[in-house]
Amino acid sequence: MEQPVSNLWLAEDIFQLGGVRFGDYTLGRTTVNSPIYIDPRVLVSNPHSLRAAAQLIAQETSSGQAMRHPKIHPFTLVAGVPFGGLHLATAFSLATNVPMIYARSESGQHRIEGRYEPGETVLIIDDLITSGGSILQTAAILEEAGLVVRDAIVLVDRDQGGQARLKRHGYNLYPILRLEVMLNLYMSKQLIDEDQYRRSLEYIRTHRTPEALEETSP
């Protein structure tokens, strides 16, 4: 039986594997001149870490469903978001025996790989969210095929409005880690310096959407 793992353990593990870098990064339209780059895909190179991440997702989904007011709806399938969520969804499926599918677009055509029945509920899994565009695209393809999507779970939320955007579209996001929490941990353990910490926090706080600010306010 695997020992329980924590989200802070995962945050430090991603750092130790080289998945946190500092500099000047522009990744598409949603992350421009960011002083920090988070790459949870480094987990694929360490079987123990990937297995632990899948276990953490299983822990969080189980506890989220066990609450008096459940945060995660029951589901019979998981869908990994290409490409960052595929390895996580695969690891989760192997650890829990929950069947996996995934949606992809090719030459303007949508296709779902794997077996499913219309009406089944799918939990979407991804590694990181910024604006939420990839999750929304995946949800749209799944729903087009008659599947039901209510929840998504991600390893890292960059705290820049993705959760609020999904909520506006009727989806619940369950983040295991938030970038600000990760930065606080790294600073407390002296893994990063004051300048890296301050610049990264400033970027997060100045690039939040108004909806995101409402989500994070007390």
Side-chain angles (χ1 to χ4, degrees):
M1 184 74 177
E2 295 278 357
Q3 292 296 314
V5 293
S6 71
N7 57 347
L8 296 183
W9 178 92
L10 179 66
E12 188 168 355
D13 197 48
I14 291 173
F15 186 94
Q16 299 296 352
L17 290 172
V20 181
R21 299 196 287 276
F22 295 90
D24 187 338
Y25 300 95
T26 296
L27 309 167
R29 292 176 297 176
T30 56
T31 305
V32 179
N33 300 126
S34 172
I36 183 170
Y37 175 55
I38 303 294
D39 182 17
R41 299 183 196 186
V42 294
L43 295 170
V44 302
S45 298
N46 188 308
H48 171 73
S49 297
L50 182 58
R51 187 163 51 247
Q55 182 189 350
L56 185 54
I57 294 173
Q59 288 173 198
E60 296 297 321
T61 53
S62 179
S63 63
Q65 290 178 327
M67 293 178 176
R68 184 175 180 182
H69 301 289
K71 290 188 175 181
I72 298 178
H73 296 83
F75 57 91
T76 56
L77 296 168
V78 292
V81 177
F83 290 99
L86 289 179
H87 60 281
L88 291 171
T90 301
F92 176 86
S93 178
L94 290 171
T96 61
N97 290 319
V98 176
M100 173 189 155
I101 59 176
Y102 67 93
R104 64 188 179 93
S105 297
E106 197 172 87
S107 302
Q109 299 296 313
H110 302 321
R111 181 172 177 175
I112 297 176
E113 303 291 356
R115 297 176 59 188
Y116 64 92
E117 293 290 337
E120 286 191 87
T121 299
V122 187
L123 173 69
I124 293 178
I125 297 178
D126 206 358
D127 62 343
L128 181 142
I129 183 172
T130 302
S131 69
S134 296
I135 290 177
L136 288 174
Q137 182 180 25
T138 295
I141 296 173
L142 296 173
E143 290 176 336
E144 190 178 88
L147 292 161
V148 177
V149 179
R150 294 179 175 176
D151 304 294
I153 190 165
V154 296
L155 284 190
V156 180
D157 181 0
R158 282 187 61 104
D159 286 324
Q160 289 176 226
Q163 184 169 23
R165 186 181 180 193
L166 292 188
K167 186 176 180 180
R168 289 201 308 273
H169 285 80
Y171 306 116
N172 172 55
L173 179 72
Y174 197 107
I176 288 178
L177 282 166
R178 294 186 182 277
L179 183 51
E180 189 164 335
V181 172
M182 297 170 72
L183 287 166
N184 288 336
L185 174 70
Y186 300 152
M187 188 63 195
S188 70
K189 288 183 170 286
Q190 299 182 328
L191 296 172
I192 60 176
D193 61 38
E194 183 73 28
D195 182 62
Q196 291 169 329
Y197 178 72
R198 284 189 300 98
R199 289 179 63 239
S200 298
L201 276 186
E202 182 181 2
Y203 183 89
I204 294 169
R205 292 169 180 174
T206 56
H207 285 74
R208 281 179 178 150
T209 62
E211 295 87 354
L213 290 171
E214 291 178 11
E215 289 282 346
T216 55
S217 62

